[in-house]
CSV table of all heavy atoms in Angstrom, one decimal:
chain,number,residue,atom,x,y,z
A,217,GLU,N,3.4,-16.8,-2.4
A,217,GLU,CA,3.5,-17.9,-1.4
A,217,GLU,C,3.9,-19.1,-2.1
A,217,GLU,O,4.8,-19.8,-1.7
A,217,GLU,CB,2.2,-18.0,-0.6
A,217,GLU,CG,2.2,-19.1,0.4
A,217,GLU,CD,0.9,-19.4,0.9
A,217,GLU,OE1,0.4,-18.7,1.8
A,217,GLU,OE2,0.3,-20.4,0.5
A,218,GLU,N,3.2,-19.4,-3.2
A,218,GLU,CA,3.4,-20.8,-3.9
A,218,GLU,C,4.8,-20.7,-4.4
A,218,GLU,O,5.5,-21.8,-4.3
A,218,GLU,CB,2.4,-20.8,-5.1
A,218,GLU,CG,2.5,-22.1,-5.9
A,218,GLU,CD,1.6,-22.1,-7.1
A,218,GLU,OE1,1.3,-21.0,-7.6
A,218,GLU,OE2,1.4,-23.2,-7.6
A,219,SER,N,5.3,-19.6,-5.0
A,219,SER,CA,6.6,-19.6,-5.6
A,219,SER,C,7.7,-19.7,-4.6
A,219,SER,O,8.7,-20.5,-4.8
A,219,SER,CB,6.8,-18.3,-6.4
A,219,SER,OG,5.8,-18.2,-7.4
A,220,ILE,N,7.6,-19.0,-3.5
A,220,ILE,CA,8.7,-19.0,-2.5
A,220,ILE,C,8.6,-20.3,-1.8
A,220,ILE,O,9.7,-20.8,-1.4
A,220,ILE,CB,8.7,-17.8,-1.6
A,220,ILE,CG1,9.9,-17.6,-0.8
A,220,ILE,CG2,7.5,-17.8,-0.7
A,220,ILE,CD1,11.1,-17.0,-1.5
A,221,LYS,N,7.5,-20.9,-1.6
A,221,LYS,CA,7.3,-22.1,-0.9
A,221,LYS,C,8.0,-23.2,-1.8
A,221,LYS,O,8.8,-24.0,-1.2
A,221,LYS,CB,5.9,-22.5,-0.7
A,221,LYS,CG,5.5,-23.7,0.1
A,221,LYS,CD,4.0,-23.7,0.4
A,221,LYS,CE,3.6,-25.1,0.9
A,221,LYS,NZ,3.3,-26.0,-0.2
A,222,ASN,N,7.7,-23.3,-3.0
A,222,ASN,CA,8.3,-24.3,-3.9
A,222,ASN,C,9.9,-24.1,-3.9
A,222,ASN,O,10.6,-25.1,-3.8
A,222,ASN,CB,7.8,-24.1,-5.4
A,222,ASN,CG,6.4,-24.5,-5.4
A,222,ASN,OD1,5.9,-25.3,-4.5
A,222,ASN,ND2,5.7,-24.1,-6.5
A,223,ALA,N,10.3,-22.9,-4.0
A,223,ALA,CA,11.7,-22.6,-4.1
A,223,ALA,C,12.5,-23.0,-2.8
A,223,ALA,O,13.6,-23.6,-2.8
A,223,ALA,CB,12.1,-21.1,-4.4
A,224,THR,N,11.9,-22.7,-1.7
A,224,THR,CA,12.6,-23.0,-0.3
A,224,THR,C,12.5,-24.5,-0.1
A,224,THR,O,13.4,-25.1,0.5
A,224,THR,CB,12.0,-22.2,0.8
A,224,THR,OG1,10.5,-22.4,0.8
A,224,THR,CG2,12.3,-20.8,0.7
A,225,GLU,N,11.4,-25.1,-0.4
A,225,GLU,CA,11.2,-26.6,-0.2
A,225,GLU,C,12.3,-27.4,-1.1
A,225,GLU,O,12.8,-28.4,-0.7
A,225,GLU,CB,9.8,-27.1,-0.5
A,225,GLU,CG,8.9,-26.7,0.7
A,225,GLU,CD,7.4,-27.1,0.5
A,225,GLU,OE1,7.1,-27.6,-0.6
A,225,GLU,OE2,6.6,-26.9,1.4
A,226,ALA,N,12.5,-26.8,-2.3
A,226,ALA,CA,13.5,-27.4,-3.1
A,226,ALA,C,14.9,-27.3,-2.5
A,226,ALA,O,15.8,-28.1,-2.8
A,226,ALA,CB,13.5,-26.7,-4.5
A,227,LEU,N,15.1,-26.3,-1.6
A,227,LEU,CA,16.4,-26.2,-0.9
A,227,LEU,C,16.5,-27.2,0.2
A,227,LEU,O,17.6,-27.5,0.8
A,227,LEU,CB,16.5,-24.8,-0.2
A,227,LEU,CG,16.6,-23.6,-1.1
A,227,LEU,CD1,16.6,-22.4,-0.2
A,227,LEU,CD2,17.9,-23.7,-1.9
A,228,GLY,N,15.3,-27.8,0.7
A,228,GLY,CA,15.3,-28.7,1.8
A,228,GLY,C,14.6,-28.1,3.0
A,228,GLY,O,14.5,-28.8,4.0
A,229,TRP,N,14.1,-26.9,2.9
A,229,TRP,CA,13.3,-26.3,3.9
A,229,TRP,C,12.0,-27.0,4.1
A,229,TRP,O,11.4,-27.4,3.1
A,229,TRP,CB,13.1,-24.8,3.7
A,229,TRP,CG,14.3,-23.9,3.8
A,229,TRP,CD1,15.6,-24.3,3.6
A,229,TRP,CD2,14.4,-22.5,4.1
A,229,TRP,NE1,16.5,-23.2,3.8
A,229,TRP,CE2,15.7,-22.1,4.0
A,229,TRP,CE3,13.4,-21.6,4.3
A,229,TRP,CZ2,16.1,-20.8,4.2
A,229,TRP,CZ3,13.8,-20.3,4.5
A,229,TRP,CH2,15.1,-19.9,4.5
A,230,GLU,N,11.5,-27.0,5.4
A,230,GLU,CA,10.2,-27.5,5.6
A,230,GLU,C,9.2,-26.3,5.8
A,230,GLU,O,9.6,-25.3,6.4
A,230,GLU,CB,10.2,-28.4,6.9
A,230,GLU,CG,8.9,-29.0,7.2
A,230,GLU,CD,8.9,-29.7,8.6
A,230,GLU,OE1,10.0,-29.9,9.1
A,230,GLU,OE2,7.9,-29.9,9.2
A,231,THR,N,8.0,-26.5,5.3
A,231,THR,CA,7.0,-25.4,5.5
A,231,THR,C,6.1,-25.8,6.7
A,231,THR,O,5.4,-26.8,6.6
A,231,THR,CB,6.2,-25.2,4.2
A,231,THR,OG1,7.0,-24.9,3.1
A,231,THR,CG2,5.2,-24.1,4.4
A,232,VAL,N,6.2,-25.1,7.7
A,232,VAL,CA,5.4,-25.3,8.9
A,232,VAL,C,3.9,-25.0,8.8
A,232,VAL,O,3.1,-25.8,9.1
A,232,VAL,CB,6.0,-24.6,10.1
A,232,VAL,CG1,5.2,-24.8,11.4
A,232,VAL,CG2,7.5,-25.1,10.4
A,233,ALA,N,3.7,-23.8,8.2
A,233,ALA,CA,2.3,-23.4,8.1
A,233,ALA,C,2.3,-22.2,7.0
A,233,ALA,O,3.3,-21.5,6.9
A,233,ALA,CB,1.7,-22.9,9.3
A,234,THR,N,1.2,-22.2,6.3
A,234,THR,CA,0.9,-21.0,5.5
A,234,THR,C,-0.4,-20.4,5.9
A,234,THR,O,-1.4,-21.0,5.8
A,234,THR,CB,0.8,-21.5,4.0
A,234,THR,OG1,-0.2,-22.5,3.9
A,234,THR,CG2,2.1,-22.0,3.4
A,235,VAL,N,-0.3,-19.2,6.4
A,235,VAL,CA,-1.5,-18.5,7.0
A,235,VAL,C,-1.8,-17.3,6.2
A,235,VAL,O,-0.9,-16.5,5.9
A,235,VAL,CB,-1.2,-18.1,8.4
A,235,VAL,CG1,-2.3,-17.4,9.0
A,235,VAL,CG2,-0.9,-19.4,9.3
A,236,ARG,N,-3.0,-17.2,5.7
A,236,ARG,CA,-3.5,-16.0,5.0
A,236,ARG,C,-4.0,-14.9,5.9
A,236,ARG,O,-4.7,-15.2,6.9
A,236,ARG,CB,-4.7,-16.5,4.1
A,236,ARG,CG,-4.3,-17.6,3.1
A,236,ARG,CD,-3.5,-17.1,2.0
A,236,ARG,NE,-2.8,-18.2,1.3
A,236,ARG,CZ,-3.3,-18.9,0.3
A,236,ARG,NH1,-4.6,-18.6,-0.1
A,236,ARG,NH2,-2.6,-19.8,-0.3
A,237,THR,N,-3.5,-13.7,5.6
A,237,THR,CA,-3.9,-12.5,6.4
A,237,THR,C,-4.7,-11.6,5.5
A,237,THR,O,-4.5,-11.5,4.3
A,237,THR,CB,-2.7,-11.8,6.9
A,237,THR,OG1,-1.9,-11.4,5.8
A,237,THR,CG2,-1.9,-12.6,7.8
A,238,PRO,N,-5.8,-11.0,6.1
A,238,PRO,CA,-6.6,-10.1,5.2
A,238,PRO,C,-5.8,-9.0,4.7
A,238,PRO,O,-4.9,-8.4,5.3
A,238,PRO,CB,-7.7,-9.6,6.2
A,238,PRO,CG,-7.6,-10.5,7.4
A,238,PRO,CD,-6.2,-11.0,7.5
A,239,LEU,N,-6.1,-8.6,3.4
A,239,LEU,CA,-5.4,-7.5,2.8
A,239,LEU,C,-5.7,-6.2,3.5
A,239,LEU,O,-6.9,-5.9,3.8
A,239,LEU,CB,-5.9,-7.5,1.3
A,239,LEU,CG,-5.2,-6.4,0.4
A,239,LEU,CD1,-3.7,-6.6,0.3
A,239,LEU,CD2,-5.9,-6.3,-0.9
A,240,GLY,N,-4.7,-5.4,3.7
A,240,GLY,CA,-5.0,-4.1,4.4
A,240,GLY,C,-5.1,-4.2,5.9
A,240,GLY,O,-5.5,-3.1,6.5
A,241,LEU,N,-4.8,-5.3,6.5
A,241,LEU,CA,-4.9,-5.4,7.9
A,241,LEU,C,-3.8,-4.5,8.5
A,241,LEU,O,-2.7,-4.4,8.1
A,241,LEU,CB,-4.6,-6.9,8.3
A,241,LEU,CG,-4.8,-7.2,9.8
A,241,LEU,CD1,-6.3,-7.2,10.2
A,241,LEU,CD2,-4.3,-8.6,10.1
A,242,GLY,N,-4.2,-3.8,9.6
A,242,GLY,CA,-3.2,-2.9,10.2
A,242,GLY,C,-2.4,-3.6,11.4
A,242,GLY,O,-1.1,-3.6,11.3
A,243,ASP,N,-3.1,-4.3,12.2
A,243,ASP,CA,-2.4,-5.0,13.4
A,243,ASP,C,-2.3,-6.4,13.1
A,243,ASP,O,-3.3,-7.2,13.1
A,243,ASP,CB,-3.3,-4.6,14.6
A,243,ASP,CG,-2.6,-5.1,15.9
A,243,ASP,OD1,-1.5,-5.8,15.8
A,243,ASP,OD2,-3.1,-4.9,17.0
A,244,TYR,N,-1.1,-6.9,13.1
A,244,TYR,CA,-0.9,-8.3,12.8
A,244,TYR,C,-0.5,-9.1,14.0
A,244,TYR,O,-0.1,-10.3,13.9
A,244,TYR,CB,0.3,-8.5,11.8
A,244,TYR,CG,0.0,-8.0,10.4
A,244,TYR,CD1,0.1,-6.7,10.0
A,244,TYR,CD2,-0.5,-9.0,9.4
A,244,TYR,CE1,-0.3,-6.3,8.8
A,244,TYR,CE2,-0.9,-8.5,8.2
A,244,TYR,CZ,-0.8,-7.2,7.9
A,244,TYR,OH,-1.2,-6.8,6.6
A,245,SER,N,-0.8,-8.6,15.2
A,245,SER,CA,-0.3,-9.2,16.4
A,245,SER,C,-1.0,-10.6,16.5
A,245,SER,O,-0.3,-11.5,16.9
A,245,SER,CB,-0.7,-8.4,17.6
A,245,SER,OG,-2.1,-8.1,17.7
A,246,GLN,N,-2.2,-10.8,16.2
A,246,GLN,CA,-2.9,-12.0,16.3
A,246,GLN,C,-2.4,-13.1,15.4
A,246,GLN,O,-2.5,-14.3,15.6
A,246,GLN,CB,-4.4,-12.0,16.3
A,246,GLN,CG,-5.0,-11.7,14.9
A,246,GLN,CD,-5.2,-10.2,14.7
A,246,GLN,OE1,-4.5,-9.4,15.2
A,246,GLN,NE2,-6.3,-9.9,14.0
A,247,TYR,N,-1.7,-12.7,14.3
A,247,TYR,CA,-1.1,-13.6,13.3
A,247,TYR,C,0.4,-13.9,13.7
A,247,TYR,O,0.9,-14.9,13.3
A,247,TYR,CB,-1.3,-13.2,11.9
A,247,TYR,CG,-2.7,-13.0,11.5
A,247,TYR,CD1,-3.4,-11.8,11.5
A,247,TYR,CD2,-3.4,-14.2,11.0
A,247,TYR,CE1,-4.7,-11.7,11.1
A,247,TYR,CE2,-4.7,-14.1,10.7
A,247,TYR,CZ,-5.4,-12.9,10.7
A,247,TYR,OH,-6.7,-12.8,10.3
A,248,LEU,N,0.9,-13.0,14.4
A,248,LEU,CA,2.4,-13.2,14.7
A,248,LEU,C,2.5,-14.0,16.0
A,248,LEU,O,3.5,-14.8,16.1
A,248,LEU,CB,3.0,-11.8,14.9
A,248,LEU,CG,3.2,-11.0,13.7
A,248,LEU,CD1,3.5,-9.5,14.0
A,248,LEU,CD2,4.3,-11.5,12.8
A,249,THR,N,1.6,-13.9,16.9
A,249,THR,CA,1.7,-14.7,18.1
A,249,THR,C,1.9,-16.2,17.9
A,249,THR,O,2.8,-16.8,18.5
A,249,THR,CB,0.5,-14.4,19.0
A,249,THR,OG1,0.4,-13.0,19.2
A,249,THR,CG2,0.6,-15.1,20.4
A,250,PRO,N,1.1,-16.8,17.0
A,250,PRO,CA,1.3,-18.3,16.8
A,250,PRO,C,2.6,-18.7,16.2
A,250,PRO,O,3.0,-19.8,16.3
A,250,PRO,CB,0.1,-18.6,15.8
A,250,PRO,CG,-0.9,-17.5,15.9
A,250,PRO,CD,0.0,-16.3,16.3
A,251,VAL,N,3.3,-17.7,15.6
A,251,VAL,CA,4.6,-18.0,15.0
A,251,VAL,C,5.6,-18.4,16.1
A,251,VAL,O,6.4,-19.3,15.9
A,251,VAL,CB,5.2,-16.8,14.2
A,251,VAL,CG1,6.5,-17.1,13.6
A,251,VAL,CG2,4.2,-16.4,13.1
A,252,LEU,N,5.4,-17.7,17.2
A,252,LEU,CA,6.4,-17.9,18.3
A,252,LEU,C,6.6,-19.3,18.7
A,252,LEU,O,7.7,-19.8,19.1
A,252,LEU,CB,6.0,-17.0,19.5
A,252,LEU,CG,5.9,-15.5,19.3
A,252,LEU,CD1,5.3,-14.7,20.4
A,252,LEU,CD2,7.3,-14.9,18.9
A,253,ASN,N,5.5,-20.0,18.9
A,253,ASN,CA,5.6,-21.4,19.3
A,253,ASN,C,5.2,-22.4,18.3
A,253,ASN,O,4.8,-23.6,18.6
A,253,ASN,CB,4.6,-21.6,20.5
A,253,ASN,CG,5.0,-20.6,21.7
A,253,ASN,OD1,6.0,-20.8,22.3
A,253,ASN,ND2,4.2,-19.6,21.9
A,254,SER,N,5.5,-22.1,17.0
A,254,SER,CA,5.1,-23.0,15.9
A,254,SER,C,6.2,-24.0,15.6
A,254,SER,O,6.0,-24.9,14.9
A,254,SER,CB,4.8,-22.2,14.7
A,254,SER,OG,5.9,-21.5,14.3
A,255,GLY,N,7.4,-23.7,16.1
A,255,GLY,CA,8.5,-24.6,15.8
A,255,GLY,C,9.2,-24.1,14.6
A,255,GLY,O,10.2,-24.7,14.1
A,256,ALA,N,8.8,-23.0,14.0
A,256,ALA,CA,9.4,-22.4,12.8
A,256,ALA,C,10.7,-21.6,13.3
A,256,ALA,O,10.7,-21.0,14.4
A,256,ALA,CB,8.5,-21.5,12.1
A,257,ASP,N,11.6,-21.5,12.3
A,257,ASP,CA,12.8,-20.6,12.6
A,257,ASP,C,13.0,-19.6,11.6
A,257,ASP,O,14.0,-18.8,11.6
A,257,ASP,CB,14.1,-21.5,12.8
A,257,ASP,CG,14.3,-22.6,11.8
A,257,ASP,OD1,14.0,-22.2,10.6
A,257,ASP,OD2,14.6,-23.7,12.2
Side-chain angles (χ1 to χ4, degrees):
Chain A
E217 177 191 283
E218 183 190 19
S219 299
I220 192 78
K221 184 168 167 280
N222 290 341
T224 52
E225 285 178 354
L227 292 176
W229 289 23
E230 182 189 341
T231 303
V232 174
T234 53
V235 175
R236 304 283 164 86
T237 58
L239 183 63
L241 186 70
D243 186 354
Y244 287 85
S245 56
Q246 71 265 38
Y247 295 99
L248 290 167
T249 307
V251 180
L252 299 171
N253 298 294
S254 64
D257 46 41

